[in-house]
Amino acid sequence: MTRHVVRLSDADAVDDLVEALARNRAEVHRRGSRTIVVSDRGHGDDLETELLFFLKAWALSHPAVQFELYRR
């Protein structure tokens, strides 16, 4: 199972991102105050591309928040 770690620059934005990802049927778990883990739920290699696209779109409505994406 592929997992991706997303770290945000603002801990106050994490809950919003978790809710947004959950609405889009992603398997997501909070890990720490600024970090979440997104698991592959049948997306395969496309997960990273889809997640990066989603994060960039989400960041447009959160211009003060920066994110880092890591594959784990």
Side-chain angles (χ1 to χ4, degrees):
M1 176 186 314
T2 303
R3 293 183 179 166
H4 290 80
V5 177
V6 181
R7 177 167 289 188
L8 298 180
S9 61
D10 182 356
D12 292 334
V14 173
D15 286 336
D16 183 65
L17 179 57
V18 168
E19 289 175 17
L21 285 165
R23 281 193 304 268
N24 286 283
R25 297 178 299 277
E27 186 175 327
V28 58
H29 304 280
R30 191 169 184 154
R31 187 180 81 184
S33 64
R34 297 185 306 126
T35 306
I36 62 171
V37 177
V38 182
S39 300
D40 180 357
R41 190 191 284 172
H43 293 275
D45 293 334
D46 294 333
L47 175 63
E48 188 167 354
T49 302
E50 291 177 19
L51 183 56
L52 185 57
F53 181 79
F54 182 89
L55 290 170
K56 287 181 178 184
W58 178 85
L60 290 174
S61 62
H62 300 81
V65 180
Q66 295 181 7
F67 68 86
E68 297 173 8
L69 175 62
Y70 303 96
R71 180 180 256 190
R72 183 173 165 221

